[in-house]
Amino acid sequence: MELRFENVTKKFGEFSAVDNINVTMEKGVYGLLGVNGAGKTTLMRMLCTLLPPSQGKIIYEGKDIFSMGSSYRDLLGYLPQDFGFYPDFTVRDYLNYIGSIKGIRPGVAKRQAEDLISQVGLSKAADKKMKKLSGGMKRRAGIAQALMNNPKILVLDEPTAGLDPNERIRFRNLLSEIAGQRIVLLSTHIVSDVEYIANEIFLMKEGKISYSGSGEELILGMGQQVWICSVKQEQVRDFMKRYKISNMRAEGDNVELRVISKEKPCENASLAKGTLEDVFLYYFGERE
């Protein structure tokens, strides 16, 4: 199983939302990490054939996905940032409706819907109307609809937007469980969504994939640039102007800073082990 982007570009007028992307994906979970406006959603919409590339090709198993038509869409599951649903449908009705749209036979769709309702933890809410669900429950229903056709390619765009920490953990565990024999592409700007579950992470900035690798590889690639130091409260503003600060914590009259810097930022600074959050700030963050 192979999905390949070859020189994929998407322009809107003179603006390149996606700029010459070349990546290859096989079975596993891939994280697409970047700030809002980096081009993640445009890239995913092309992968789902909702937008054609201005240049380049997206190839699945040796075939251009836009030439495959419905045979490609049969392999695809998609959860957009804002997915549509009929508010007066129950969860069960909604999934069966999605099954009919995807051309699944009614009996098969019914069994699949029940299995997915259980898998995403909505058994007690199966007969609730969609409009009555919490934000977390709606996202789980969205994941279930994306899985209704047992897709080989699962595309999730900001799937944890608006979820509380417990729901995020539930989602990550669910995604690890269902990844199996699929290509899963997860777009997010929340580092913890991909830190523990992604086999490979793509860092996207201004339409380009700037860097890629496992979380550990990206951390190592940043080098030793994470420092912990303690400064007076009145020095904090100056440090924020000079350095990227990934965290700060008050300690009496002082403030402990986590600083991203090639050079030692102050006399009492000591090197610390980097995290993916530090990597995100290193590549995408700005000084105040």
Side-chain angles (χ1 to χ4, degrees):
M1 187 185 297
E2 183 185 81
L3 182 66
R4 193 167 70 251
F5 289 77
E6 294 184 351
N7 306 310
V8 173
T9 295
K10 182 62 182 179
K11 291 189 174 186
F12 297 96
E14 295 299 311
F15 172 67
S16 292
V18 171
D19 190 1
N20 198 38
I21 298 295
N22 288 278
V23 296
T24 298
M25 292 180 280
E26 298 177 337
K27 292 174 187 175
V29 179
Y30 295 82
L32 186 59
L33 192 59
V35 297
N36 290 330
K40 304 187 302 295
T41 294
T42 300
L43 186 68
M44 292 186 133
R45 287 173 65 81
M46 286 192 287
L47 178 56
C48 295
T49 68
L50 298 173
L51 285 173
S54 303
Q55 298 169 26
K57 293 181 178 181
I58 304 173
I59 307 293
Y60 178 73
E61 297 286 45
K63 297 179 182 178
D64 186 317
I65 64 171
F66 286 87
S67 69
M68 293 174 67
S70 61
S71 65
Y72 173 73
R73 288 187 286 276
D74 288 344
L75 304 171
L76 188 67
Y78 178 41
L79 175 62
Q81 285 188 43
D82 300 304
F83 69 97
F85 58 85
Y86 290 103
D88 288 318
F89 274 19
T90 65
V91 174
R92 184 175 281 114
D93 290 340
Y94 171 63
L95 292 181
N96 279 291
Y97 168 69
I98 293 296
S100 69
I101 290 176
K102 293 186 176 184
I104 303 170
R105 293 194 306 275
V108 176
K110 185 175 181 180
R111 288 193 298 274
Q112 229 168 331
E114 294 304 318
D115 288 344
L116 287 168
I117 284 168
S118 173
Q119 193 171 21
V120 301
L122 287 176
S123 296
K124 292 181 180 178
D127 294 312
K128 272 190 175 182
K129 291 184 177 181
M130 293 289 291
K131 66 183 178 183
K132 298 288 187 181
L133 300 182
S134 68
M137 286 181 173
K138 284 176 183 171
R139 298 309 284 179
R140 279 187 262 159
I143 293 167
Q145 67 79 24
L147 290 167
M148 270 300 290
N149 57 330
N150 193 25
K152 296 293 185 185
I153 302 168
L154 182 60
V155 181
L156 306 170
D157 193 0
E158 300 286 356
T160 65
L163 301 191
D164 64 32
N166 283 334
E167 288 286 1
R168 281 206 177 93
I169 292 168
R170 179 194 287 271
F171 163 77
R172 291 200 299 268
N173 292 340
L174 173 62
L175 190 57
S176 295
E177 180 185 338
I178 64 178
Q181 301 301 303
R182 296 183 174 93
I183 294 171
V184 180
L185 181 60
L186 162 64
S187 161
T188 186
H189 62 277
I190 301 168
V191 172
S192 60
D193 283 354
V194 297
E195 188 166 12
Y196 301 109
I197 61 173
N199 304 94
E200 187 169 1
I201 299 167
F202 304 123
L203 300 182
M204 192 168 188
K205 184 176 183 179
E206 296 176 350
K208 296 178 181 289
I209 301 295
S210 305
Y211 300 92
S212 65
S214 67
E216 194 60 34
E217 287 169 344
L218 291 171
I219 291 167
L220 289 173
M222 183 176 64
Q224 293 186 315
Q225 299 197 50
V226 183
W227 304 85
I228 300 291
C229 63
S230 182
V231 302
K232 296 293 185 184
Q233 182 70 49
E234 57 268 23
Q235 293 177 284
V236 170
R237 181 64 63 189
D238 180 56
F239 269 73
M240 291 179 70
K241 289 178 179 177
R242 291 162 54 200
Y243 303 107
K244 295 177 180 179
I245 309 295
S246 65
N247 194 38
M248 62 175 68
R249 183 177 63 189
E251 292 185 329
D253 294 333
N254 291 343
V255 179
E256 182 185 89
L257 302 180
R258 189 176 180 90
V259 181
I260 312 297
S261 172
K262 291 182 179 179
E263 299 172 356
K264 193 173 183 177
C266 62
E267 188 61 36
N268 68 38
S270 58
L271 283 168
K273 180 176 172 56
T275 67
L276 195 57
E277 197 166 77
D278 295 321
V279 171
F280 187 90
L281 183 68
Y282 175 68
Y283 288 116
F284 302 132
E286 298 178 358
R287 292 186 291 273
E288 188 176 87

